[in-house]
Protein backbone atom coordinates (compact mmCIF):
# COMPACT_ATOMS: atom_id res chain seq x y z
CA UNK A 1 0.00 0.00 0.00
CA UNK A 2 1.45 3.39 -1.02
CA UNK A 3 1.87 6.07 1.63
CA UNK A 4 -0.46 8.46 -0.24
CA UNK A 5 -3.22 5.82 -0.31
CA UNK A 6 -2.70 5.08 3.40
CA UNK A 7 -2.99 8.78 4.23
CA UNK A 8 -6.13 9.14 2.09
CA UNK A 9 -7.68 6.10 3.80
CA UNK A 10 -6.89 7.52 7.24
CA UNK A 11 -8.38 10.90 6.33
CA UNK A 12 -11.52 9.13 5.06
CA UNK A 13 -11.78 7.17 8.32
CA UNK A 14 -11.41 10.33 10.42
CA UNK A 15 -14.05 12.02 8.28
CA UNK A 16 -16.44 9.08 8.84
CA UNK A 17 -15.71 9.06 12.55
CA UNK A 18 -16.38 12.77 12.96
CA UNK A 19 -19.32 12.68 10.48
CA UNK A 20 -18.12 15.74 8.58
CA UNK A 21 -21.01 15.64 6.07
CA UNK A 22 -23.61 15.86 8.86
CA UNK A 23 -21.45 18.23 10.91
CA UNK A 24 -21.38 20.78 8.07
CA UNK A 25 -25.12 21.47 8.42
CA UNK A 26 -24.87 21.68 12.20
CA UNK A 27 -22.01 24.17 12.06
CA UNK A 28 -23.74 26.22 9.36
CA UNK A 29 -26.58 26.93 11.80
CA UNK A 30 -23.99 28.20 14.29
CA UNK A 31 -22.64 30.62 11.68
CA UNK A 32 -26.21 31.79 10.97
CA UNK A 33 -26.75 32.50 14.67
CA UNK A 34 -23.49 34.48 14.82
CA UNK A 35 -24.23 36.58 11.73
CA UNK A 36 -27.77 37.41 12.90
CA UNK A 37 -26.45 39.29 15.94
CA UNK A 38 -27.36 42.98 15.18
CA UNK A 39 -23.91 44.51 15.67
CA UNK A 40 -22.02 41.76 13.82
CA UNK A 41 -20.82 42.34 10.27
CA UNK A 42 -19.55 39.60 7.96
CA UNK A 43 -15.89 38.82 8.55
CA UNK A 44 -14.31 35.85 6.76
CA UNK A 45 -11.73 35.22 9.47
CA UNK A 46 -14.31 35.16 12.26
CA UNK A 47 -16.70 32.96 10.24
CA UNK A 48 -13.93 30.47 9.43
CA UNK A 49 -12.79 30.39 13.07
CA UNK A 50 -16.36 29.75 14.24
CA UNK A 51 -16.75 27.10 11.57
CA UNK A 52 -13.50 25.42 12.64
CA UNK A 53 -14.44 25.49 16.33
CA UNK A 54 -17.86 24.03 15.59
CA UNK A 55 -16.40 21.30 13.38
CA UNK A 56 -13.94 20.28 16.09
CA UNK A 57 -16.48 20.21 18.94
CA UNK A 58 -19.19 18.46 16.91
CA UNK A 59 -16.66 16.05 15.45
CA UNK A 60 -15.50 15.17 18.95
CA UNK A 61 -19.10 14.52 20.06
CA UNK A 62 -19.68 12.29 17.03
CA UNK A 63 -16.48 10.35 17.76
CA UNK A 64 -17.56 9.79 21.39
CA UNK A 65 -20.94 8.64 20.06
CA UNK A 66 -19.26 6.02 17.87
CA UNK A 67 -17.02 4.85 20.70
CA UNK A 68 -20.12 4.19 22.81
CA UNK A 69 -21.91 2.45 19.94
CA UNK A 70 -19.09 0.41 18.41
CA UNK A 71 -20.69 -2.94 19.25
CA UNK A 72 -24.21 -1.92 18.24
CA UNK A 73 -22.90 -0.38 15.00
CA UNK A 74 -21.73 -3.87 14.03
CA UNK A 75 -25.36 -5.03 14.04
CA UNK A 76 -26.63 -2.43 11.55
CA UNK A 77 -25.83 -2.56 7.83
CA UNK A 78 -25.74 1.24 7.62
CA UNK A 79 -23.08 1.60 10.34
CA UNK A 80 -21.10 -1.67 10.18
CA UNK A 81 -18.65 -0.09 7.70
CA UNK A 82 -17.61 2.66 10.14
CA UNK A 83 -13.93 2.63 11.20
CA UNK A 84 -14.45 1.25 14.74
CA UNK A 85 -16.90 -1.64 14.10
CA UNK A 86 -15.03 -2.54 10.88
CA UNK A 87 -11.76 -2.78 12.84
CA UNK A 88 -9.86 -0.17 10.82
CA UNK A 89 -9.26 1.92 13.96
CA UNK A 90 -8.75 1.11 17.63
CA UNK A 91 -10.53 2.63 20.61
CA UNK A 92 -7.38 4.40 21.85
CA UNK A 93 -6.82 6.25 18.58
CA UNK A 94 -10.48 7.32 18.46
CA UNK A 95 -10.35 8.44 22.12
CA UNK A 96 -7.23 10.54 21.48
CA UNK A 97 -8.91 12.09 18.43
CA UNK A 98 -12.05 12.91 20.45
CA UNK A 99 -9.98 14.49 23.24
CA UNK A 100 -7.79 16.60 20.91
CA UNK A 101 -10.68 17.85 18.77
CA UNK A 102 -12.99 18.48 21.76
CA UNK A 103 -10.43 20.40 23.82
CA UNK A 104 -9.12 22.21 20.74
CA UNK A 105 -12.60 23.26 19.65
CA UNK A 106 -13.62 24.56 23.08
CA UNK A 107 -10.35 26.51 23.49
CA UNK A 108 -10.70 27.98 20.01
CA UNK A 109 -14.21 29.18 20.85
CA UNK A 110 -13.00 30.65 24.13
CA UNK A 111 -9.91 32.48 22.89
CA UNK A 112 -11.33 33.66 19.54
CA UNK A 113 -14.83 34.60 20.74
CA UNK A 114 -15.77 34.38 24.44
CA UNK A 115 -15.79 31.85 27.25
CA UNK A 116 -19.58 31.77 27.52
CA UNK A 117 -19.90 30.30 24.03
CA UNK A 118 -16.99 27.97 24.86
CA UNK A 119 -18.86 26.74 27.96
CA UNK A 120 -22.03 26.19 25.89
CA UNK A 121 -19.97 24.26 23.32
CA UNK A 122 -18.59 22.04 26.07
CA UNK A 123 -22.09 21.53 27.52
CA UNK A 124 -23.38 20.55 24.08
CA UNK A 125 -20.54 18.03 23.64
CA UNK A 126 -21.16 16.46 27.06
CA UNK A 127 -24.94 16.24 26.58
CA UNK A 128 -24.60 14.61 23.17
CA UNK A 129 -21.66 12.33 23.86
CA UNK A 130 -22.32 11.25 27.44
CA UNK A 131 -26.07 11.70 28.06
CA UNK A 132 -28.00 11.38 24.79
CA UNK A 133 -25.89 8.56 23.33
CA UNK A 134 -26.29 6.02 26.17
CA UNK A 135 -29.90 7.16 26.78
CA UNK A 136 -30.92 5.87 23.32
CA UNK A 137 -31.04 2.36 24.80
CA UNK A 138 -33.18 3.34 27.81
CA UNK A 139 -36.28 4.99 26.37
CA UNK A 140 -37.57 7.39 23.71
CA UNK A 141 -36.96 10.43 25.94
CA UNK A 142 -33.47 10.27 24.42
CA UNK A 143 -34.90 12.32 21.54
CA UNK A 144 -35.85 15.10 23.98
CA UNK A 145 -32.38 14.97 25.53
CA UNK A 146 -30.70 14.89 22.11
CA UNK A 147 -32.77 17.83 20.88
CA UNK A 148 -31.01 20.12 23.39
CA UNK A 149 -27.44 19.79 22.04
CA UNK A 150 -28.93 19.48 18.55
CA UNK A 151 -30.52 22.91 18.91
CA UNK A 152 -27.57 24.62 20.60
CA UNK A 153 -25.42 25.55 17.53
CA UNK A 154 -27.41 28.69 16.58
CA UNK A 155 -27.50 29.73 20.25
CA UNK A 156 -23.73 29.17 20.53
CA UNK A 157 -23.22 31.25 17.37
CA UNK A 158 -25.40 34.02 18.76
CA UNK A 159 -23.49 34.05 22.06
CA UNK A 160 -20.18 34.07 20.13
CA UNK A 161 -21.27 37.39 18.62
CA UNK A 162 -23.35 38.94 21.40
CA UNK A 163 -21.42 37.57 24.44
CA UNK A 164 -24.73 37.05 26.25
CA UNK A 165 -27.72 34.72 26.43
CA UNK A 166 -30.50 36.91 25.06
CA UNK A 167 -33.92 36.52 23.46
CA UNK A 168 -32.56 36.52 19.91
CA UNK A 169 -30.40 33.48 20.54
CA UNK A 170 -33.17 31.67 22.39
CA UNK A 171 -35.59 32.25 19.48
CA UNK A 172 -33.14 30.56 17.10
CA UNK A 173 -32.64 27.75 19.63
CA UNK A 174 -36.42 27.24 19.86
CA UNK A 175 -36.81 26.79 16.09
CA UNK A 176 -34.04 24.20 15.88
CA UNK A 177 -35.25 22.48 19.07
CA UNK A 178 -38.78 21.94 17.72
CA UNK A 179 -37.35 20.90 14.34
CA UNK A 180 -35.37 18.06 15.93
CA UNK A 181 -38.42 15.93 16.78
CA UNK A 182 -39.99 15.35 13.34
CA UNK A 183 -36.45 15.12 11.92
CA UNK A 184 -35.33 12.45 14.42
CA UNK A 185 -38.57 10.49 14.23
CA UNK A 186 -38.52 10.40 10.43
CA UNK A 187 -35.01 8.93 10.51
CA UNK A 188 -35.97 6.48 13.27
CA UNK A 189 -39.01 5.41 11.26
CA UNK A 190 -36.87 4.68 8.18
CA UNK A 191 -34.19 2.86 10.20
CA UNK A 192 -36.63 1.18 12.61
CA UNK A 193 -35.52 -2.42 11.90
CA UNK A 194 -31.84 -1.58 12.29
CA UNK A 195 -32.49 0.44 15.45
CA UNK A 196 -34.53 -2.44 16.90
CA UNK A 197 -31.60 -4.82 16.31
CA UNK A 198 -29.30 -2.45 18.16
CA UNK A 199 -31.79 -1.93 21.00
CA UNK A 200 -32.29 1.78 20.33
CA UNK A 201 -35.61 3.22 21.55
CA UNK A 202 -36.17 6.34 19.46
CA UNK A 203 -39.89 6.48 18.63
CA UNK A 204 -42.56 7.74 21.08
CA UNK A 205 -45.43 5.76 22.58
CA UNK A 206 -45.09 2.04 21.92
CA UNK A 207 -41.76 2.67 20.19
CA UNK A 208 -43.05 1.47 16.83
CA UNK A 209 -43.62 3.42 13.61
CA UNK A 210 -47.35 4.16 13.67
CA UNK A 211 -49.93 6.93 13.43
CA UNK A 212 -49.20 8.08 17.00
CA UNK A 213 -45.59 8.83 15.99
CA UNK A 214 -46.81 10.67 12.87
CA UNK A 215 -49.25 12.70 14.98
CA UNK A 216 -46.46 13.69 17.36
CA UNK A 217 -44.32 14.75 14.38
CA UNK A 218 -47.22 16.80 12.98
CA UNK A 219 -47.66 18.56 16.33
CA UNK A 220 -44.06 19.77 16.37
CA UNK A 221 -44.12 20.87 12.72
CA UNK A 222 -47.24 22.89 13.52
CA UNK A 223 -45.50 24.54 16.49
CA UNK A 224 -42.65 25.52 14.16
CA UNK A 225 -44.94 27.92 12.28
CA UNK A 226 -45.36 30.47 15.14
CA UNK A 227 -41.80 29.81 16.34
CA UNK A 228 -40.46 30.74 12.91
CA UNK A 229 -42.06 34.20 13.19
CA UNK A 230 -40.44 35.09 16.54
CA UNK A 231 -37.09 36.36 15.11
CA UNK A 232 -39.11 38.85 13.02
CA UNK A 233 -41.15 39.91 16.06
CA UNK A 234 -37.90 40.50 17.96
CA UNK A 235 -36.60 42.72 15.16
CA UNK A 236 -33.75 40.37 14.22
CA UNK A 237 -35.05 39.60 10.72
CA UNK A 238 -37.43 41.27 8.29
CA UNK A 239 -40.97 40.42 7.21
CA UNK A 240 -39.82 38.30 4.26
CA UNK A 241 -38.21 35.80 6.64
CA UNK A 242 -41.49 35.55 8.57
CA UNK A 243 -43.47 34.85 5.39
CA UNK A 244 -40.94 32.23 4.26
CA UNK A 245 -40.99 30.63 7.74
CA UNK A 246 -44.79 30.31 7.53
CA UNK A 247 -44.72 28.84 4.01
CA UNK A 248 -41.85 26.47 4.85
CA UNK A 249 -43.63 25.50 8.06
CA UNK A 250 -46.82 24.67 6.17
CA UNK A 251 -44.79 22.58 3.71
CA UNK A 252 -43.15 20.71 6.61
CA UNK A 253 -46.54 20.24 8.29
CA UNK A 254 -47.98 18.86 5.03
CA UNK A 255 -45.17 16.29 4.89
CA UNK A 256 -45.96 15.17 8.46
CA UNK A 257 -49.70 14.94 7.68
CA UNK A 258 -48.78 12.85 4.65
CA UNK A 259 -46.91 10.48 6.98
CA UNK A 260 -50.00 10.25 9.19
CA UNK A 261 -52.17 9.42 6.18
CA UNK A 262 -49.85 6.90 4.52
CA UNK A 263 -48.07 5.51 7.57
CA UNK A 264 -45.16 4.08 5.54
CA UNK A 265 -41.40 4.41 4.94
CA UNK A 266 -41.61 6.43 1.68
CA UNK A 267 -43.69 9.08 3.50
CA UNK A 268 -41.18 9.08 6.39
CA UNK A 269 -38.37 9.56 3.89
CA UNK A 270 -40.20 12.54 2.37
CA UNK A 271 -40.60 14.00 5.86
CA UNK A 272 -36.87 13.53 6.52
CA UNK A 273 -35.89 15.33 3.31
CA UNK A 274 -38.56 17.92 4.07
CA UNK A 275 -36.84 18.62 7.39
CA UNK A 276 -33.55 19.41 5.61
CA UNK A 277 -35.35 21.65 3.12
CA UNK A 278 -37.20 23.50 5.89
CA UNK A 279 -34.15 24.30 8.03
CA UNK A 280 -31.88 25.21 5.12
CA UNK A 281 -34.43 27.54 3.49
CA UNK A 282 -35.49 29.22 6.75
CA UNK A 283 -31.91 29.86 7.90
CA UNK A 284 -30.71 31.13 4.52
CA UNK A 285 -33.62 33.57 4.26
CA UNK A 286 -33.04 34.72 7.85
CA UNK A 287 -29.47 35.61 6.87
CA UNK A 288 -30.52 37.37 3.67
CA UNK A 289 -33.31 39.25 5.46
CA UNK A 290 -31.39 40.34 8.53
CA UNK A 291 -32.97 43.49 9.96
Amino acid sequence: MSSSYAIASKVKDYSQLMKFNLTFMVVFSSVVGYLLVPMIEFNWVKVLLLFAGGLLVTGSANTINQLWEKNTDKLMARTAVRPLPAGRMGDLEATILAAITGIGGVLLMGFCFNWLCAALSLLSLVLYGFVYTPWKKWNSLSVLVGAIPGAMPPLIGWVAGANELSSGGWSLFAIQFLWQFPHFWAIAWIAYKDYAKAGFKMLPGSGEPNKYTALQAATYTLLLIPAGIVPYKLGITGSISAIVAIVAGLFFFYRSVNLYRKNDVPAARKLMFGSYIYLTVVQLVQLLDKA
Side-chain angles (χ1 to χ4, degrees), residues 145-162:
V145 175
I148 298 171
M152 284 181 73
L155 178 62
I156 291 168
W158 179 275
V159 171

Side-chain angles (χ1 to χ4, degrees), residues 21-244:
N21 292 339
L22 178 65
T23 298
F24 182 89
M25 185 175 180
V26 173
V27 176
F28 174 74
S29 66
S30 179
V31 172
V32 170
Y34 173 75
L35 292 174
L36 283 176
V37 175
M39 72 284 290
I40 294 294
E41 294 183 1
F42 189 87
N43 180 308
W44 270 113
V45 175
K46 284 290 190 180
V47 167
L48 289 174
L49 285 170
L50 182 61
F51 208 86
L55 279 177
L56 290 171
V57 172
T58 309
S60 176
N62 288 332
T63 302
I64 294 166
N65 172 273
Q66 289 186 53
L67 277 162
W68 273 101
E69 296 178 354
K70 180 181 73 171
N71 293 326
T72 49
D73 278 350
K74 291 177 182 178
L75 305 174
M76 299 186 287
R78 181 176 58 87
T79 56
V81 294
R82 287 174 175 173
L84 289 169
R88 296 193 305 275
M89 188 183 300
D91 288 5
L92 179 60
E93 184 179 354
T95 302
I96 292 170
L97 178 69
I100 291 172
T101 53
I103 294 168
V106 170
L107 290 177
L108 192 153
M109 298 294 279
F111 283 113
C112 296
F113 296 95
N114 55 70
W115 291 103
L116 178 56
C117 78
L120 290 173
S121 298
L122 179 59
L123 175 62
S124 178
L125 189 158
V126 170
L127 283 174
Y128 186 87
F130 298 102
V131 183
Y132 162 70
T133 297
W135 202 315
K136 286 159 71 176
K137 286 199 167 188
W138 301 338
N139 57 54
S140 61
L141 282 175
S142 61
V143 176
L144 173 64
V145 175
I148 298 171
M152 284 181 73
L155 178 62
I156 291 168
W158 179 275
V159 171
N163 196 19
E164 64 176 4
L165 285 163
S166 50
S167 57
W170 286 118
S171 71
L172 301 176
F173 172 89
I175 292 170
Q176 199 147 314
F177 178 78
L178 294 169
W179 172 87
Q180 298 283 324
F181 295 90
H183 173 71
F184 266 129
W185 288 331
I187 294 172
W189 188 306
I190 296 164
Y192 173 70
K193 290 181 180 177
D194 261 0
Y195 281 179
K197 283 181 194 174
F200 293 149
K201 299 174 174 65
M202 305 291 287
L203 295 173
S206 65
E208 297 176 353
N210 53 33
K211 284 187 178 291
Y212 177 75
T213 296
L215 186 62
Q216 291 288 304
T219 301
Y220 282 95
T221 56
L222 197 58
L223 289 171
L224 269 172
I225 296 172
I229 304 170
V230 175
Y232 162 67
K233 289 292 186 180
L234 292 173
I236 299 166
T237 60
S239 58
I240 294 172
S241 76
I243 294 167
V244 170

